[in-house]
Amino acid sequence: MRFYLISAIVTLIILITVISFRQDVWQTYALPYDEEQVGLNDQITINFSHVVAENTPKGLAADKFAQLVKEKSNGKINVQIYPNGILYNDENELAALKNGDIQMIAPTISKMTEALPSWQVLDLPFIFEREDQIYAALHGELSKTLLAELSSINVHGLSFWNNGFKQIASKNELIQTVEQFQYLTVRIMTSDLLSQQFNLLNAEPISTTFNDLYKKIQNNEILAQENTLSNLYSKGFYKMQPQITLSNHGLLAYSVLMNEDFWQSLDKSSQKIITQSLKEMDRWQHEQAIALNEQNLQQLQADPNVTLYTLSKQQREEWRVALQPIYQSYNNIGNPQFLAQLYQDIKN
Ligand code: LMR
């Protein structure tokens, strides 16, 4: 009996040893060296969260940025994009960036004004007449000063991206005159200046995150909104708010931001790749935004359920006059020098 037991144990040990060797359990091999392969330890991952769809000026710009840095770094820098607010929304993305839970975001300038009131300068109504003025503002002298201001909230400012002019989309009535704004519930991005803008028009501004907007329109809590055609189109808002006034009354643009500690942790050459990639895509991004809004305009024009109306010169002037007091408010709570610099940047 004892003999059989010992034989069984010895056989089992021999079996385990043979199988283990055949399965390479105790063998260690050096991984083959591949010059083109960046080691996992050398990889830099930048998680980039944003709230809009991929086929929008910001969505396309984020993709282009990821592609450029990947090329320039030979795959060492990997930008992982999380669109549509799947990770963070308007209300928590800045906190997530500052905590280091995410490395990059690109909130609208309006959404930064709670932390940096002087940034409201780019939200002033009727300050831009043409697209080239927008480019001059987002990439001129003022833009450098605005980016530098981010250090006061411990955020690294990289660049600005354009989306385009905001329009007014309404559920029931096509908005043409200042009087039609009375008591109208209008969704705004969280911003004192935007709130004041609609208060001056006697409307009822309601601040809502982009992610919550669809539901609130559906529930009739919000009848109108100001947004770009690309945002109205890509999220299907135009289906519920099909009366669209082409007012070009304000700008919707983005600040491209990085977590400050993460930025400082990057080596100089990675920092250079990031800044160069963004610089290289400035013009492309601006033109892409114009083209996309134009394409969405054509798609909306082709939709029989959508009404598009361009403000007459006189109506535009009436809106402008009604909103004029906001400039004085900006000078009181913002920075008059920023406004002067903006005029300087866009004057040509
Ligand atoms: C909005 O909230 O309407 C926009 O800021 C969304 C965006 O990021 O373009």
Side-chain angles (χ1 to χ4, degrees):
M1 182 65 190
R2 211 179 138 161
F3 170 76
Y4 286 122
L5 196 65
I6 292 172
S7 310
I9 292 172
V10 170
T11 314
L12 197 66
I13 291 172
I14 293 171
L15 258 173
I16 291 173
T17 313
V18 170
I19 291 170
S20 314
F21 264 106
R22 295 201 65 164
Q23 301 285 319
D24 289 350
V25 170
W26 292 320
Q27 239 95 326
T28 52
Y29 296 108
L31 285 169
Y33 181 71
D34 176 355
E35 278 204 320
E36 288 181 5
Q37 184 83 43
V38 177
L40 280 181
N41 290 340
D42 299 329
Q43 275 256 336
I44 296 170
T45 301
I46 301 176
N47 293 304
F48 185 164
S49 167
H50 68 78
V51 299
V52 290
E54 282 151 305
N55 57 335
T56 55
K58 181 160 61 180
L60 293 175
D63 286 348
K64 176 85 170 175
F65 171 67
Q67 178 202 324
L68 283 177
V69 292
K70 188 173 179 189
E71 275 165 26
K72 286 182 195 295
S73 67
N74 291 322
K76 183 181 158 190
I77 307 178
N78 172 37
V79 180
Q80 191 68 45
I81 301 166
Y82 299 91
N84 291 310
I86 52 176
L87 278 192
Y88 298 103
N89 66 29
D90 301 332
E91 268 167 5
N92 55 22
E93 65 179 0
L94 181 59
L97 182 87
K98 290 173 85 173
N99 286 342
D101 299 331
I102 195 91
Q103 287 75 46
M104 258 181 104
I105 58 171
T108 54
I109 285 163
S110 319
K111 290 172 192 169
M112 294 300 294
T113 57
E114 217 174 337
L116 301 169
S118 55
W119 277 36
Q120 292 175 0
V121 67
L122 290 175
D123 265 344
L124 286 165
F126 296 109
I127 202 153
F128 302 107
E129 289 291 328
R130 304 184 314 269
E131 302 280 2
D132 60 310
Q133 292 177 326
I134 294 178
Y135 188 85
L138 296 182
H139 302 288
E141 277 313 303
L142 175 68
S143 73
K144 293 179 201 149
T145 315
L146 296 182
L147 287 180
E149 277 222 314
L150 284 159
S151 64
S152 68
I153 56 165
N154 198 32
V155 167
H156 191 79
L158 290 166
S159 187
F160 289 107
W161 287 343
N162 181 26
N163 182 324
F165 282 112
K166 286 182 288 188
Q167 322 296 349
I168 300 286
S170 153
K171 195 160 189 170
N172 303 324
E173 215 183 339
L174 181 70
I175 308 296
Q176 301 179 34
T177 65
V178 169
E179 291 70 35
Q180 284 175 287
F181 278 103
Q182 186 146 30
Y183 307 127
L184 186 69
T185 46
V186 185
R187 181 268 174 167
I188 53 163
M189 296 177 270
T190 304
S191 148
D192 285 348
L193 187 122
L194 296 180
S195 177
Q196 198 196 344
Q197 172 180 277
F198 286 104
N199 283 331
L200 282 168
L201 298 172
N202 297 314
E204 282 182 35
I206 299 178
S207 154
T208 311
T209 65
F210 195 60
N211 289 38
D212 290 342
L213 183 52
Y214 200 91
K215 224 194 196 114
K216 295 210 170 172
I217 301 171
Q218 246 176 355
N219 294 344
N220 278 323
E221 286 171 57
I222 285 168
L223 291 179
Q225 67 169 304
E226 55 163 11
N227 224 320
T228 59
L229 293 181
S230 63
N231 278 346
L232 294 174
Y233 190 81
S234 59
K235 286 285 177 198
F237 292 131
Y238 71 97
K239 293 183 187 150
M240 295 184 294
Q241 295 179 327
Q243 313 291 336
I244 301 177
T245 308
L246 301 174
S247 51
N248 282 6
H249 64 277
L251 166 67
L252 194 144
Y254 306 107
S255 48
V256 185
L257 312 178
M258 191 169 266
N259 172 280
E260 181 63 50
D261 294 340
F262 177 77
W263 172 258
Q264 296 301 343
S265 75
L266 296 172
D267 56 86
K268 287 276 169 287
S269 82
S270 299
Q271 290 184 345
K272 201 165 164 195
I273 286 171
I274 290 168
T275 46
Q276 273 183 352
S277 300
L278 287 165
K279 187 98 219 96
E280 209 174 293
M281 60 185 277
D282 276 352
R283 185 58 75 178
W284 176 90
Q285 194 284 318
H286 182 73
E287 275 155 20
Q288 188 72 22
I290 297 171
L292 203 55
N293 279 295
E294 178 57 35
Q295 181 190 323
N296 294 150
L297 174 63
Q298 285 169 19
Q299 284 157 319
L300 291 168
Q301 277 165 341
D303 188 326
N305 299 316
V306 173
T307 308
L308 287 154
Y309 175 79
T310 306
L311 283 187
S312 71
K313 249 189 167 167
Q314 193 190 330
Q315 287 164 338
R316 205 177 145 78
E317 184 55 15
E318 279 164 15
W319 287 35
R320 201 191 59 75
V321 169
L323 294 173
Q324 198 55 30
I326 214 164
Y327 281 73
Q328 191 49 50
S329 311
Y330 175 76
N331 279 335
N332 295 340
I333 57 159
N335 185 334
Q337 278 167 7
F338 286 7
L339 183 53
Q341 183 63 58
L342 178 57
Y343 281 131
Q344 185 69 23
D345 288 353
I346 67 175
K347 81 168 187 256
N348 295 320

